[in-house]
């Protein structure tokens, strides 16, 4: 797992990993680039060809999107911040994260950021990079587990895996996508113990 916030950092790591994999080829290596806030499309294609995973900082869109649009990156570059839909189309395994404690730990809010791509002021950045609720839920569960090589234990409810789960007060697949962040947690099941939310 390699921290690659900017496109220059992404480029350096793509070059380094390309060289490493040429010398020591490994199937299913799951090298993962973290954050990838301004990764460009050419870099995404390289990541796909190298079999890399991406763990994008979806909360960045909400917390820093307005600042980037107005002061640092401009409107055009902000349309490709965290290009989740493009990564999915290229077949790249993708997870999303909050970078806690940088932003609050709230997986449903992180999924909402990936789906809605709204800034704190309500602007939408890169509508074409939105993902579906189902895709975002996969990114915070099985996608995250996959990048950590824990998908044989967690990330989905299957025979042979831990039965760790969250009980929500509504089905995220049935509610409007904009309501995803407001779904309440009724309880969690972790290690066989039920914890009821207060």
């Amino acid at each position: 797992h390699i921290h690659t916030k900017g496109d220059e950092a992404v480029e350096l790591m793509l070059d380094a990993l390309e060289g490493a994999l040429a010398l020591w080829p490994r199937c299913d290596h799951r090298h993962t680039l973290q954050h990838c806030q301004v990764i460009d499309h050419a870099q995404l294609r390289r990541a796909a060809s190298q079999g890399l995973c991406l763990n994008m900082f979806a909360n960045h869109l909400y917390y820093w999107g307005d600042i980037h649009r107005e002061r640092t990156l401009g409107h055009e570059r902000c349309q490709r911040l965290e290009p989740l839909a493009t990564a999915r189309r290229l077949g790249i395994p993708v997870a999303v994260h909050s970078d806690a404690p940088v932003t609050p730990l709230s997986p449903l809010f992180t999924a909402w950021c990936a789906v809605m791509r709204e800034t704190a002021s309500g602007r939408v950045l890169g509508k074409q990079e939105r993902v579906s609720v189902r895709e975002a839920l996969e990114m915070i569960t099985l996608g995250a587990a996959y990048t950590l090589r824990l998908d044989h234990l967690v990330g989905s409810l299957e025979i042979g895996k831990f039965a760790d789960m969250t009980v929500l007060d509504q089905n995220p697949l049935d509610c409007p996508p904009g309501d995803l962040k407001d779904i309440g947690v009724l309880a969690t099941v972790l290690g066989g113990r039920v914890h009821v939310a207060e």
Side-chain angles (χ1 to χ4, degrees):
H1 288 254
I2 307 163
H3 185 281
T4 54
K5 186 173 180 181
D7 49 1
E8 187 173 350
V10 170
E11 192 71 19
L12 287 169
M13 289 304 98
L14 288 171
D15 289 345
L17 289 169
E18 185 175 56
L21 291 169
L23 289 172
W24 302 285
R26 287 178 56 201
C27 295
D28 195 29
H29 54 75
R30 302 193 202 185
H31 292 306
T32 302
L33 302 183
Q34 298 286 340
H35 296 333
C36 307
Q37 289 160 296
V38 287
I39 189 172
D40 66 34
H41 288 189
Q43 291 171 332
L44 285 169
R45 287 190 294 275
R46 286 186 68 193
S49 71
Q50 290 180 27
L52 303 182
C53 302
L54 303 178
N55 187 0
M56 294 192 193
F57 184 14
N59 288 25
H60 176 248
L61 293 157
Y62 178 83
Y63 287 101
W64 287 279
D66 289 320
I67 294 167
H68 282 318
R69 184 182 177 278
E70 295 163 14
R71 297 185 189 171
T72 58
L73 296 174
H75 174 78
E76 187 175 326
R77 287 190 79 194
C78 281
Q79 302 310 302
R80 62 177 177 87
L81 287 171
E82 285 84 23
L84 294 164
T86 299
R88 294 278 298 192
R89 281 193 298 275
L90 290 171
I92 301 171
V94 180
V96 290
H97 67 275
S98 66
D99 204 26
V102 174
T103 71
L105 181 61
S106 177
L108 289 173
F109 179 80
T110 298
W112 175 85
C113 290
V115 171
M116 301 305 295
R117 299 184 61 87
E118 288 183 13
T119 69
S121 71
R123 288 187 181 274
V124 174
L125 297 179
K127 186 176 182 179
Q128 74 283 358
E129 293 297 347
R130 284 177 165 170
V131 295
S132 69
V133 170
R134 185 177 298 278
E135 288 172 319
L137 293 174
E138 181 184 328
M139 289 175 187
I140 64 171
T141 55
L142 192 56
Y146 182 85
T147 68
L148 296 169
R149 288 193 174 275
L150 294 173
D151 52 312
H152 64 294
L153 296 175
V154 296
S156 60
L157 294 176
E158 300 178 54
I159 294 172
K161 290 187 176 186
F162 297 140
D164 298 340
M165 66 187 94
T166 304
V167 181
L168 305 175
D169 66 7
Q170 58 182 306
N171 184 343
L173 298 175
D174 291 339
C175 71
D179 294 345
L180 187 59
K181 65 180 174 42
D182 301 314
I183 294 175
V185 176
L186 298 177
T188 59
V189 180
L190 181 62
R193 293 185 180 178
V194 177
H195 305 274
V196 178
E198 296 179 7

